[in-house]
Amino acid sequence: MKILKNKFNRIFILLVVAIVLRFGIFIFLGEDYNSWLRLTAVILILGIGAGFVLQGTAKVIEETTDVLSKRTKLASGFLQSIATAFPDMALGIVAAIISLRLKDVDYSLAISFAIIAAATTFGSNIYNVGHASWCIFRQNLANKKNQKILMFPFIKKGGTIIPMAEHLEKPSLEELDNAMDVFSILTILTAIVATTMVLFGQIKNPPLNISGDLYQLVRPAGLVILVLCALTMYYFRKAKKENLVVRDSLEESYQNQPNFIIFINLLFCGMAILLAAEVMVNAIQVFCNITGMPFIVAGVLAGIIGCLGEMIVIHNFTVNPAGRIGDAVVGVGMDNIITTLGASIVAVMGGIFLGGNALILIFVVILTLNSILLWQVSKLKNYLLIKNN
């Protein structure tokens, strides 16, 4: 019980810090203050929001998904993705809401927030899949060498990966098949998004501050993508591991607690994420205004904020040999499906815009990284097939 109280206290602190960010430091983003004070506020908001609030909530998510999966028979990767994708969706949807509020007041600024929404949402997919590809690549390398290797060469703090043969529990082949199926569907959905934006979403008269072409994900396409994402989530919702091992440390804290206690913890995490997301989106916009950085660039860079949770989860599940790497890979794929679903919601709201060059670069990079991750997961599956035989 003492451990549970400590964890609840930690979540309460995360929520309090998010409230301070939203109703305290947020004030200093206003134009009444000088640029240096506003930049200081931006740095504090992004640093504390990403480094403390979002990382802290990601830790809670990681600690609860295996317990909930065992009880509900839902896939751990599915539960993990719903929770870790929430920051991505929150950042994008909050930016879209701000954009819609400004549409009749300042159309140019509204478009800027809509670009942040799109770039953050799809940019987070780049970081997610890129980091997952690296994790599985390093795991495959450890398997091939049959020796321990560092996650990041020459950086011990990144953790050590051990060969799969020494893992306490190995991912099932069905889990890896699911992961490849999810990423294949994600690739198709990403291609649909890019294609429909080019074919049906070109803006005839973009604002003066937007150079080059401007494209929007139109509402009908957004609605179709939303339905496809929802169907994908429903299809892959079930757990593929018969006997999920819950780690001892979690057993002490959550395993013996009722579901409503766990959900209260997750609810507080969600509140903290939403509060942090709103102030961080505004901080990005202020940073662009002060420094002159293009909104699309800032949005893509901010994408890492929303996907930190999922990146931390797959990183920890790779360096912690507890049989969770299969869950983590499925979770990354499902996280990006949910992120795409969030983008479709924003599109239905009327708030997804991307410039021509940015649209091409973002989606080409996403599709390339999806292919690399599929390649690495198939190598991991082949390794397990050989070992099983």
Side-chain angles (χ1 to χ4, degrees), residues 151-378:
M151 172 65 83
F152 303 108
F154 313 113
I155 304 176
K156 292 184 179 180
K157 288 187 177 181
T160 302
I161 301 174
I162 67 173
M164 188 65 69
E166 299 177 26
H167 279 213
L168 302 178
E169 187 180 353
K170 298 172 182 60
S172 68
L173 296 176
E174 194 171 7
E175 278 182 301
L176 297 182
D177 279 337
N178 262 12
M180 289 191 285
D181 288 344
V182 169
F183 277 101
S184 297
I185 293 171
L186 178 64
T187 300
I188 294 169
L189 288 173
T190 303
I192 291 173
V193 171
T195 303
T196 53
M197 288 183 81
V198 171
L199 292 180
F200 309 112
Q202 185 171 10
I203 304 300
K204 300 287 179 144
N205 298 305
L208 295 176
N209 66 325
I210 304 295
S211 59
D213 295 328
L214 182 66
Y215 295 91
Q216 180 182 22
L217 182 59
V218 295
R219 284 189 173 93
L223 187 59
V224 170
I225 294 164
L226 190 153
V227 172
L228 291 175
C229 289
L231 289 174
T232 302
M233 290 169 58
Y234 180 79
Y235 183 81
F236 290 100
R237 73 194 185 282
K238 291 294 185 180
K240 300 298 180 182
K241 189 181 294 185
E242 293 296 327
N243 299 309
L244 180 63
V245 177
V246 179
R247 289 168 284 171
D248 293 340
S249 62
L250 304 186
E251 208 166 304
E252 293 176 353
S253 57
Y254 287 114
Q255 180 67 5
N256 298 319
Q257 299 303 319
N259 284 348
F260 80 91
I261 292 292
I262 296 176
F263 284 120
I264 287 174
N265 280 259
L266 293 176
L267 175 64
F268 281 179
C269 285
M271 293 168 62
I273 288 169
L274 279 176
L275 289 169
E278 181 181 0
V279 69
M280 289 168 79
V281 167
N282 279 279
I284 294 167
Q285 187 269 332
V286 169
F287 181 79
C288 290
N289 282 343
I290 294 174
T291 63
M293 177 181 285
F295 287 97
I296 186 69
V297 175
V300 171
L301 293 176
I304 197 170
I305 296 169
C307 69
L308 270 176
E310 187 60 56
M311 290 174 68
I312 292 168
V313 168
I314 189 168
H315 183 98
N316 290 347
F317 286 172
T318 304
V319 299
N320 179 9
R324 300 296 306 282
I325 193 170
D327 292 333
V329 177
V330 174
V332 169
M334 291 300 295
D335 181 285
N336 287 357
I337 293 288
I338 294 171
T339 303
T340 306
L341 181 143
S344 67
I345 293 173
V346 174
V348 172
M349 294 167 62
I352 282 285
F353 291 84
L354 279 176
N357 292 338
L359 182 146
I360 293 169
L361 289 174
I362 287 174
F363 288 109
V364 165
V365 171
I366 291 174
L367 292 171
T368 302
L369 289 174
N370 281 351
S371 299
I372 292 172
L373 185 55
L374 280 168
W375 170 39
Q376 292 303 315
V377 173
S378 67

Side-chain angles (χ1 to χ4, degrees), residues 28-63:
F28 296 100
L29 295 179
E31 294 182 359
D32 295 336
Y33 300 94
N34 64 60
S35 296
W36 285 110
L37 184 57
R38 295 172 76 196
L39 274 176
T40 301
V42 167
I43 293 169
L44 285 174
I45 288 168
L46 295 179
I48 296 172
F52 183 75
V53 178
L54 295 187
Q55 286 199 50
T57 53
K59 186 66 176 175
V60 175
I61 290 161
E62 178 189 341
E63 292 174 347

Side-chain angles (χ1 to χ4, degrees), residues 84-154:
T84 55
F86 195 62
D88 301 24
M89 292 180 66
L91 286 167
I93 291 174
V94 166
I97 291 172
I98 295 172
S99 173
L100 292 174
R101 287 176 182 170
L102 293 169
K103 208 164 189 178
D104 296 328
V105 179
D106 189 335
Y107 184 64
S108 178
L109 186 58
I111 293 295
S112 298
F113 272 104
I115 290 174
I116 290 174
T120 303
T121 302
F122 292 115
S124 68
N125 287 9
I126 293 173
Y127 300 112
N128 259 347
V129 182
H131 184 63
S133 299
W134 175 259
C135 289
I136 305 302
F137 164 73
R138 297 298 286 176
Q139 180 65 65
N140 286 331
L141 188 61
N143 297 342
K144 183 178 180 179
K145 292 185 174 182
N146 195 30
Q147 64 183 39
K148 297 179 181 180
I149 63 171
L150 296 175
M151 172 65 83
F152 303 108
F154 313 113

